Amino acid sequence: MTENSQQPQSEPTPELPTQYAPAEVEGKLYERWVERGYFAADAKSDKPAYTIVIPPPNVTGSLHLGHAFQHTLMDALTRRKRMQGYESLWLPGMDHAGIATQNVVERELGKEGKSRHDLGRDAFVERVWQWKEEYGGKILGQMRRLGDGVDWSRERFTMDEGLSQAVQTIFKKLYDDELIYRAERIINWCPRCLTAISDIEVEYQDDDGELVSMKYGEGDDTIVVATTRAETMLGDTAVAVHPDDERYRHLVGRRIKLPLTDRTIPVVADTHVDPEFGTGAVKVTPAHDPNDFAIGQRHDLESLTVMDERGVITVHGPFQGLDRFEARSAIVAALRAEGRIVAEKRPYVHSVGHCSRCKTTLEPRLSMQWWVKVGPLAQAAGDAVRDGRVTIHPADMSKRYFDWVDNMHDWCISRQLWWGHRIPVWYGPEGEVVCVGPDEEPPGTEAEGWKQDPDVLDTWFSSGLWPFSTLGWPERTPDLEKFYSTDVLLTGHDIIFFWVARMMMFGLYAMDGEVPFKTIALTGLVRDQFGKKMSKSSGTAVDPLDWMNAYGSDAVRFTLARGANPGTDVPIGEDWVQASRNFANKIWNATRFALMNGATVEGPLPDPSEMTATDRWILSRLNKTVAEVDAFYDDFQFAKLSDALYHFAWDEVFDWYVELSKTTFMAGGEPAKVSGRVLGEVLDVTLRLLHPIVPFVTETLWTTLTGGESVVIAEWPTDSGFRDAGAEREIETLQQVITEVRRFRADQGLQPGQRVPARLMLDGTALAPHEAAIRQLLRLQPEGEAFAATATLPVAGATVALDLSGTIDVAAERKRLAKDLAAAEKEKAQANAKLGNEAFLAKAPDQVVDKIRTRLTKADEDIARIQAQLERLPEA
């Protein structure tokens, strides 16, 4: 906590409207922040740097709850660091999203009856750029709506000139270091997008297929294999069995007849085969299956491609020209006609990969592609975490990271698209292969027989450079010197294997061992309120803009932050957003009340000797909350810090301190001035603590309270060390008395505002100075001449005697309670009877027994509560 944290008042404090209307203030406040340059970072500043780069959203994308969740947390981190005196840079930008963007523009062309081939490559790429300028980047405006405090002056795009130079530079460097090569391998192929795609763009789902068992060979050479993809049998070049499988030992090394063809294929022994699965024999199609390709490499088998890029069969007369799924049915029918089908299982549910962009069933395909040799790069990425240069949070996610980087396969980086970074390799008329750097000219012209590789690079290749390419690399720019390494990468645990690992590999490689980020803070995924995945098909997908329109951006942000436990998924429902809206309203109304009752930040805090115990209590709790929130921020415990702020603000400041201080304010005089200054301090600090999570409402309230320029650039609160254990014990006792009497009043059916005559016996306790507050909060009248103590409550060393005559019908109340007591005792007897029945316990499921035990516990609690109420009532 800081004594003089407010900025000088420049004008009289204005009044607050009676109600908070987010829609009327949020947009104006954000534009003011941007215009005043609050989010702009200065590379020449002497302040320590704090840097976060935004995971670049796709240029085709729009804000979804996952974005809103992660952006809220990143914004909170950078806003707090800015308030702590750091040169805080949160760098925004977008990814060109090769496949997604090309698909969007191709669909637009389709509406005109054209394809990209009608335009040609250059004209098509120009069309994509036009689309990007006109329609792309919608999410950037939505980020402003959420309140993202990013430095818009540094906005980057993965296809802009500087980042394109970085891509070409690192490709050339990797190529020269023999870490990039071209080879024919099995890749994920989309017959609709007509390109290889990365593992992250594969969506697996359970499909209804068929499992067909079929006989290969003749007579004693017969062997049965099973497959879900019968169409690929046209490309089989072997049958594989386990070398220790006695059933097939006599066949190993022999050749058998491949049905429907004029070919024979060998039987090979390979340890990859599981002798316990199926028949223990598998067909081997090296050109159409990654495991089969590996078997083919080990046994020097031929790789026969039997489908073209669109999934159409290219061999064997009767099936040539058929789509792969048509061919599947036709081939099974032909095998059945020859008596070679041994068994058919339909439907056979199995996991099948689909293109995440167009949902087409993918095809494993042997293809000539460009690859990154990841071995040494992955080793460095693993070592950086092992030796502590990079910390993964939560720590238990480290195992998943190591499982990936320690077992990483070479990375296919080429894509058969037109939109993206063109591979900077040229092929000459005599078979020459030349990689061209960013400052080099191509080795020759097309007229001279030179052609550039037609493929583009995987989107993840350029986004893997994001932490340093966005800061000016390969130049050693002032931005790079100041803001690299970045401090935190905050992202979902679902892309740790892809984006996170690639940034680690490239950052360490390009920056001479300097890590791209010091901490990897992994979040979970946003789920619906029942913990299930949100989806449009199930009607559970939510547009966060709808919630922002209805409840304000602060409400959405606070809800998301309050559910953010490290590494775990975040359930969210509209009821919770409504509750967060109510919290924003509570902050508004409480601050408005405080301002009307003399809350101020003018001058230093009074000496503790001038304060009431209530004042000292709230300042002690305030400092503890500051320390607690700081510790939670440093541990990325957003849910805990949000919860701590919620309960401190709502429960302790608004429900207790403000209420307890009303009598002081009403009495006026010097004590009221002291409490007004204390209340101003508490609100000032609380609003600054809340600001990174709920920036809009806190900006309005803080500037009104303090007259300061903006809470965005206000000083982050620090723990002054002030503690008053005695005051805390005193107010806890006071709370206990008030809570207990309120509970009794509610039990007797008294209305909250109903006044009751009472005698307070507080002498000899620390509660004596609080009699006025106790009477005010409990609606207790002075006892009067006709006072008769009909109920006496001893609480925390004090005694509260109440005169309930004339407020409740004692006889009717006793009758009601006696009826409730009889019901509770009957419930207890029934539960005890079941739990004492050994035969019942032996047969009943555990959950049933647990339910009965819970009923017994509740019955005991009800009996104790009702008996206590009866004891407190006077005789009828």
Side-chain angles (χ1 to χ4, degrees), residues 660 663-664 760 762 767-778 780:
L660 288 171
T663 53
T664 304
L760 304 185
L762 308 176
L767 298 174
H770 301 286
E771 179 168 352
I774 293 172
R775 287 189 178 276
Q776 171 71 22
L777 291 176
L778 291 174
L780 302 180

Side-chain angles (χ1 to χ4, degrees), residues 21 443 466 521 526 541 714:
W466 191 251
V526 179

Side-chain angles (χ1 to χ4, degrees), residues 1-3 619 623 626 718-723:
M1 187 175 67
T2 53
E3 294 256 338
L619 289 176
N623 277 283
V626 170
T718 56
D719 177 7
S720 71
F722 177 81
R723 301 288 190 276

Side-chain angles (χ1 to χ4, degrees), residues 160-195:
D160 68 26
E161 184 178 351
L163 270 64
S164 296
Q165 183 182 33
V167 167
Q168 197 170 352
T169 298
I170 202 163
F171 187 99
K172 171 71 171 174
K173 181 174 170 59
L174 288 163
Y175 182 88
D176 290 346
D177 288 345
E178 298 183 351
L179 292 173
I180 280 183
Y181 63 94
R182 192 167 183 246
E184 198 172 39
R185 301 273 181 83
I186 294 284
I187 44 85
N188 302 306
W189 181 265
C190 178
R192 187 283 172 209
C193 297
L194 300 180
T195 182

